[in-house]
Amino acid sequence: MGRLFTSESVTEGHPDKIADQISDEILDALIEQDPNSRVAAETTVATGLALVVGEISTNAYVDIAKVARETIREIGYTNNQDGFNAESIAVLTSIDEQSADIALGVDKAYESKQEGVTEDFGTGAGDQGIIFGFATDETPEYLPPAISFAHRLTRQLTKVRKDGTLSYLRPDGKSQVTVEFDEEGKVKRVHTIVISTQHAEDITLEQIRKDIIEYVIKPVIPAELLDDDTIYYVNPTGRFVIGGPQGDAGLTGRKIIVDTYGGTGRHGGGAFSGKDPTKVDRSAAYAARWVAKNLVAAGLAKKVEVELAYAIGVAKPVSIAVDTFGTGSVSDEKIVEVINKVFDLRPAAIISALDLRRPIYKQTAAYGHFGRTDIDLPWEKLDKVEEIKKSL
């Protein structure tokens, strides 16, 4: 047997993803009215309850309870039997303004405050942080295969629920895919697929298993990667009626590996959802992905991980590191030089280059922030490939 690697994804009805979507819908609603809103919105959901807390400085007005209910309604929690109903849950809020001390560093970068400096460095980083971006040529979307397949399964699981193909499905669900690689590191086959999906009480496990394989797995996993030895675990506990926030509390930012690269490559630890783009946890993570994807597309490596590090209030990254895992066509040091030539990774420059002060965030809050083929995201554009090639 070759090397195995596993990644997971969750549906938009998973409790943690409900929380992410509410936080990002609040962000979108604020940015739509006031693009310069400073937002750090955290949500937790439990049986009959959504709690929104955080720090927000804005000229906009948003009815947070209304936004939370609309988000929950769109996901599909409209039935009292789910223990979590958009029409009847309590929505509690506790919101303060952004700390004036943090604002000092964000409003004007440290570099701009130095004696004799005339250049405007724009905003400083909203916090210190280490951020990783990753790209690989193993799939058309430049994502690692396991997380790519896992996201395809959860998107399909939601699709067949919402279009009525499998009307007995409920919003909560998960997928997990184990990929087997050959000696050269190429995808050989899919070794194991796990699907756990919430369902109505009156449906048999046998029916669920048959339908999930037929309508969820086969339409999205390439047939040549499935064989007689592929293992399928569908609702392996035998029953999944109690789900969503009734089955497990949810919290913003608890699915950061699902949001990124499925455990391939490293993670700096910062979550995305509910944060405006002055927070480098979000904007610089998008920039690092943009850099990595363009480097791979330009042929500088088959696989690239980019690390950026920031200090609070300082505009320029304190460090840039690259790892090509031995796949580079030039040295890692040379690639760092290329990054410094081609990309401006100060927060204000990232916000401008990727046009991040607009309401594009809720659509990222489920099924991953990277490699999306169903939505148009600026950090997925291959718009720097020619410039990278010229810089060499």
Side-chain angles (χ1 to χ4, degrees), residues 102-174:
I102 293 174
L104 277 175
V106 178
D107 293 341
K108 188 174 184 181
Y110 172 86
E111 294 96 325
S112 299
K113 298 173 185 174
Q114 302 313 297
E115 192 175 335
V117 172
T118 56
E119 182 184 353
D120 182 6
F121 282 79
T123 58
D127 200 351
Q128 72 177 47
I130 53 171
I131 289 98
F132 290 93
F134 185 86
T136 172
D137 67 358
E138 293 170 279
T139 61
E141 58 268 45
Y142 294 82
L143 274 187
I147 189 67
S148 176
F149 294 150
H151 284 323
R152 290 183 208 178
L153 289 171
T154 49
R155 282 207 303 266
Q156 181 70 5
L157 194 56
T158 296
K159 179 180 180 294
V160 297
R161 169 176 68 87
K162 286 187 165 181
D163 70 15
T165 302
L166 301 180
S167 58
Y168 59 80
L169 295 183
R170 298 295 180 261
D172 197 357
K174 290 183 171 185

Side-chain angles (χ1 to χ4, degrees), residues 33-307:
Q33 293 179 45
D34 177 7
N36 293 309
S37 296
R38 299 271 174 81
V39 184
E42 310 278 353
T43 304
T44 187
V45 291
T47 304
L49 173 69
L51 171 64
V52 182
V53 302
E55 298 79 44
I56 296 174
S57 296
T58 183
N59 292 317
Y61 171 74
V62 167
D63 185 336
I64 288 175
K66 184 179 178 184
V67 166
R69 292 182 196 283
E70 285 176 355
T71 303
I72 293 162
R73 193 179 298 117
E74 280 175 27
I75 291 167
Y77 284 105
T78 55
N79 186 333
N80 278 323
Q81 291 174 326
D82 294 330
F84 193 72
N85 186 338
E87 314 309 323
S88 60
I89 63 160
V91 181
L92 306 181
T93 61
S94 177
I95 303 294
D96 289 318
E97 286 188 322
Q98 182 184 64
S99 157
D101 294 347
I102 293 174
L104 277 175
V106 178
D107 293 341
K108 188 174 184 181
Y110 172 86
E111 294 96 325
S112 299
K113 298 173 185 174
Q114 302 313 297
E115 192 175 335
V117 172
T118 56
E119 182 184 353
D120 182 6
F121 282 79
T123 58
D127 200 351
Q128 72 177 47
I130 53 171
I131 289 98
F132 290 93
F134 185 86
T136 172
D137 67 358
E138 293 170 279
T139 61
E141 58 268 45
Y142 294 82
L143 274 187
I147 189 67
S148 176
F149 294 150
H151 284 323
R152 290 183 208 178
L153 289 171
T154 49
R155 282 207 303 266
Q156 181 70 5
L157 194 56
T158 296
K159 179 180 180 294
V160 297
R161 169 176 68 87
K162 286 187 165 181
D163 70 15
T165 302
L166 301 180
S167 58
Y168 59 80
L169 295 183
R170 298 295 180 261
D172 197 357
K174 290 183 171 185
S175 72
Q176 188 174 281
V177 178
T178 303
V179 174
E180 183 178 339
F181 297 86
D182 64 20
E183 292 177 358
E184 296 178 355
K186 305 284 187 190
V187 175
K188 183 178 177 183
R189 57 188 287 273
V190 171
H191 180 278
T192 302
I193 295 175
V194 182
I195 302 264
S196 293
T197 179
Q198 189 185 9
H199 58 87
E201 194 160 7
D202 57 355
I203 196 80
T204 65
L205 179 60
E206 289 75 21
Q207 185 67 49
I208 296 169
R209 178 182 166 83
K210 177 174 171 290
D211 287 345
I212 293 298
I213 291 172
E214 183 67 28
Y215 295 106
V216 177
I217 295 173
K218 286 185 175 177
V220 299
I221 303 297
E224 64 271 17
L225 298 181
L226 301 173
D227 57 35
D228 292 343
D229 294 324
T230 298
I231 300 165
Y232 301 98
Y233 290 117
V234 177
N235 282 13
T237 68
R239 174 184 162 92
F240 188 179
V241 173
I242 299 169
Q246 185 181 21
D248 193 8
L251 183 65
T252 298
R254 259 202 320 216
K255 282 287 175 279
I256 56 178
I257 301 303
V258 172
D259 287 340
T260 53
Y261 308 103
T264 301
R266 285 164 283 201
H267 197 290
F272 303 155
S273 290
K275 295 177 182 175
D276 75 83
T278 66
K279 278 78 171 172
V280 288
D281 275 344
R282 182 165 220 160
S283 54
Y286 292 163
R289 162 65 176 179
W290 179 45
V291 171
K293 187 175 179 182
N294 276 271
L295 290 170
V296 172
L300 272 65
K302 298 174 77 61
K303 188 183 295 186
V304 173
E305 181 184 78
V306 176
E307 186 208 39

Side-chain angles (χ1 to χ4, degrees), residues 368-388:
H369 292 246
F370 307 120
R372 296 290 293 271
T373 56
D374 55 324
I375 53 178
D376 182 32
L377 298 172
W379 50 90
E380 293 296 316
K381 290 187 177 3
L382 296 174
D383 53 355
K384 292 289 187 179
V385 171
E386 293 311 313
E387 199 176 336
I388 288 168

